[in-house]
Amino acid sequence: MSNASERGVHRDHSPLLPTVSAGVVGLSFLTFVLAWLVLFPILTPSTQLVGGVTFYDVFGLAMLLCGVALVGSGVASRTGYVPATPSATAGVTTGVVLGVLGFVVTGLFVSQTLGIDGPMGLGWFLAAFVGGAAVFVATVAPREDVGSTVPIGAFAVLAGLVVLLGVVGDSWTWNPSGLAATFSGDMAVPVVALVVSLLTAWAGAKAYEGFGARGRQLGAYMFVNLNAALMLFVLFVLIAFIVYRGLPGVLRGAAVGLGTGPEVAFGLHLPFDVPFVTNSYGLRNDVNGVLPAVFGTIWLVVGAVVLAVPTGVGAAIFLTEYSREGRFTQVVEIATNGLWSTPSIVYGLFGLAFLVPRFGNSASLLAGQLVLGFMLLPLVVITTRESIKAVPDSYRDASAALGVNQWQTIRSVVLPAALPGTVTGIILGVGRIAGETAPILLVTSSSMSPFPASRFVPRVLSGFQFTAQPPFVTNTELLQASSALPYQLYALITAGVGAGAGSDADIDPWSTALVLLIVVLTFYAVGIASRSYFRRRLQE
């Protein structure tokens, strides 16, 4: 008995299972990152590393090692060699996920590798159903330590052997029947590696905590973290790719030094000059730029915000604070949700049919501002209503107890508390409308060349004039057609990406995309700074 107790105590402190599981998680994460680098493609899978090893071999070996380690961990836990606290089953959800994976793998193998269709083309389906059902039973029937590791480990081993043996590799192609598409090993191997790495990381995290409730919690945490890392990685790669392709064109002819930039005011010049941003289009320009499009985009967004924010906030205040919950508010809520999900081309057609004829029957900056404002309005209403609803009723009760009327309470208590959420909604909306092309194409730039000269730079502030007749203020600049970065980028792409970028005077589409990205991120930065300011004021 004493020897058995000593062995049991020794097993309870054995680091074998956590060590192996941590190795599986780490190797899975590395495989996950490498797979995305190959897919984008930043890395070439056939590149030879040390000793002639390629990334195909790295993926295959990583999947094989993770699979063997997972199977060993599950068997060691089941036999009692390592301590664990597994549940009676891995769960139906896990069984369904792995069953779908088994269905897909079996179906592809039977239909594409063996070429079995069967009667009425359902032979592969029946085989795939049997394979998926078998994996489901193999996951749910045994104890959690076996059901969570052995099926995933077996799939990882199979995938690793297929890649290591060259069954799927550099020269492999797949032309599925009924699809006009060809899949190569450059795409198939990293995709399989992505799927395997997600599954093995999840199973390894469960094994690290000895399965059970803590294991499931860590597994879910690992899965969520990998997906968050995926989103950040995709965002970083997209931005980095646009910067890499567009920065040389943006910096073409740029100069830094005192007095080299354009004049700001009173004879003062900026200490830098970026002709691609500060120039317009002209035959005599050494470097053609996108200045009219930049100002057109800025004024479109500013006009939309000026229209949508006061209107949307006011509507949200009325619906939340003054109107009673009933059929009317339900109809308004359904309408705002529907308007937010309406495609932008529908807004553009509305502006073309309803607004353009009333503004001289020609495209104008004002029509574009109104259309984009209508697009932004539903999101402002939705987010402001939710932010106001999130303000505790105790704030209103405390204000009413001090003798403050309802409007003063809303203005001084409710709105300041709801402003961070409202600003967040405005940030999301601005990110959408700043890159819209269809409405701008139809109502703002339809009568204008995609590459306007400097005289078409919108000068909205200086265009205001007072008159003796209603509406007593006019602005001819708002009634003129204007270019915008999305419209100009669309024109460049339809002409062929890279077309017209052969000389220094040509406008590069990637550089235009980079400038558009900078403009949108600038609006984001202003919105985030505003939200942080209101949050600090609220905490004070």
Side-chain angles (χ1 to χ4, degrees):
M1 291 294 295
S2 60
N3 291 337
S5 300
E6 290 176 2
R7 286 197 298 270
V9 171
H10 177 71
R11 285 202 306 270
D12 288 342
H13 293 83
S14 173
L16 180 60
L17 185 60
T19 302
V20 173
S21 303
V24 171
V25 173
L27 190 56
S28 300
F29 183 79
L30 178 62
T31 305
F32 182 83
V33 173
L34 288 177
W36 277 111
L37 292 175
V38 170
L39 275 176
F40 264 94
I42 298 174
L43 300 177
T44 303
S46 58
T47 301
Q48 292 189 354
L49 306 175
V50 180
V53 177
T54 65
F55 283 107
Y56 289 117
D57 301 324
V58 172
F59 287 136
L61 184 61
M63 291 187 290
L64 180 62
L65 291 177
C66 288
V68 171
L70 280 179
V71 172
S73 299
V75 172
S77 173
R78 185 66 181 85
T79 57
Y81 185 77
V82 293
T85 57
S87 301
T89 177
V92 176
T93 302
T94 304
V96 170
V97 172
L98 297 184
V100 171
L101 180 63
F103 177 89
V104 173
V105 173
T106 306
L108 290 175
F109 176 75
V110 171
S111 62
Q112 302 300 322
T113 303
L114 301 181
I116 299 176
D117 288 334
M120 301 178 63
L122 295 178
W124 70 268
F125 180 82
L126 295 176
F129 181 80
V130 172
V135 174
F136 175 82
V137 173
T139 303
V140 177
R143 211 169 62 171
E144 183 187 16
D145 48 4
V146 175
S148 297
T149 57
V150 173
I152 296 175
F155 175 63
V157 169
L158 176 63
L161 290 176
V162 167
V163 176
L164 283 177
L165 297 177
V167 178
V168 177
D170 191 24
S171 59
W172 178 85
T173 57
W174 175 36
N175 300 298
S177 58
L179 292 177
T182 300
F183 301 96
S184 63
D186 292 353
M187 184 181 67
V189 172
V191 167
V192 172
L194 278 176
V195 176
V196 171
S197 63
L198 284 172
L199 293 174
T200 53
W202 171 75
K206 291 185 67 175
Y208 181 84
E209 288 291 346
F211 308 98
R214 295 181 61 183
R216 289 190 294 272
Q217 180 179 358
L218 184 60
Y221 178 77
M222 180 61 60
F223 192 81
V224 171
N225 278 352
L226 280 177
N227 281 278
L230 166 63
M231 290 186 291
L232 293 175
F233 179 76
V234 172
L235 176 63
F236 171 78
V237 170
L238 286 176
I239 295 177
F241 185 76
I242 294 175
V243 171
Y244 171 75
R245 295 294 299 270
L247 191 61
V250 172
L251 297 180
R252 190 169 51 200
V256 178
L258 294 177
T260 59
E263 183 178 348
V264 180
F266 306 107
L268 297 177
H269 293 261
L270 292 175
F272 59 88
D273 183 23
V274 184
F276 187 82
V277 179
T278 58
N279 286 357
S280 57
Y281 193 86
L283 296 177
R284 297 182 179 181
N285 290 342
D286 294 332
V287 177
N288 283 318
V290 293
L291 182 64
V294 171
F295 273 94
T297 302
I298 292 174
W299 282 118
L300 282 170
V301 173
V302 170
V305 170
V306 169
L307 168 68
V309 172
T311 308
V313 172
I317 291 174
F318 173 77
L319 292 171
T320 308
E321 296 294 327
Y322 290 100
S323 178
R324 294 183 178 180
E325 290 287 340
R327 185 165 298 177
F328 173 74
T329 56
Q330 292 176 356
V331 171
V332 172
E333 185 174 355
I334 293 173
T336 51
N337 290 329
L339 286 173
W340 174 241
S341 60
T342 300
S344 60
I345 188 65
V346 177
Y347 284 97
L349 289 174
F350 165 77
L352 182 63
F354 185 78
L355 296 177
V356 171
R358 287 158 177 81
F359 297 144
N361 204 27
S362 62
S364 64
L365 183 62
L366 180 59
Q369 290 174 336
L370 291 175
V371 169
L372 294 183
F374 294 152
M375 292 180 59
L376 179 61
L377 180 60
L379 184 62
V380 175
V381 174
I382 293 171
T383 54
T384 304
R385 283 196 67 194
E386 295 301 324
S387 300
I388 293 176
K389 288 180 180 179
V391 177
D393 289 336
S394 57
Y395 289 13
R396 300 175 178 86
D397 297 338
S399 180
L402 295 175
V404 181
N405 60 38
Q406 186 176 9
W407 168 241
Q408 291 175 331
T409 299
I410 295 171
R411 184 187 62 188
S412 304
V413 178
V414 177
L415 274 183
L419 269 179
T422 302
V423 174
T424 301
I426 297 172
I427 294 173
L428 295 175
V430 166
R432 177 189 177 185
I433 65 174
E436 287 294 346
T437 304
I440 299 172
L441 177 65
L442 293 175
V443 303
T444 304
S445 307
S446 60
S447 59
M448 170 170 283
S449 168
F451 314 108
S454 58
R455 66 178 183 273
F456 291 106
V457 175
R459 294 175 174 85
V460 176
L461 293 180
S462 61
F464 284 102
Q465 296 180 353
F466 293 98
T467 63
Q469 298 177 351
F472 305 109
V473 178
T474 61
N475 193 321
T476 56
E477 293 291 324
L478 289 175
L479 299 179
Q480 300 294 326
S482 174
S483 182
L485 288 170
Y487 170 61
Q488 190 163 320
L489 184 58
Y490 165 79
L492 289 168
I493 293 175
T494 53
V497 175
S503 66
D504 290 340
D506 293 324
I507 297 178
D508 180 26
W510 288 107
S511 301
T512 307
L514 177 58
V515 174
L516 175 60
L517 180 64
I518 292 173
V519 171
V520 173
L521 292 180
T522 301
F523 282 118
Y524 275 150
V526 172
I528 292 172
S530 302
R531 182 178 62 185
S532 300
Y533 169 77
F534 288 124
R535 281 179 175 174
R536 288 196 303 269
R537 291 292 302 271
L538 183 62
Q539 292 174 357
E540 292 174 359

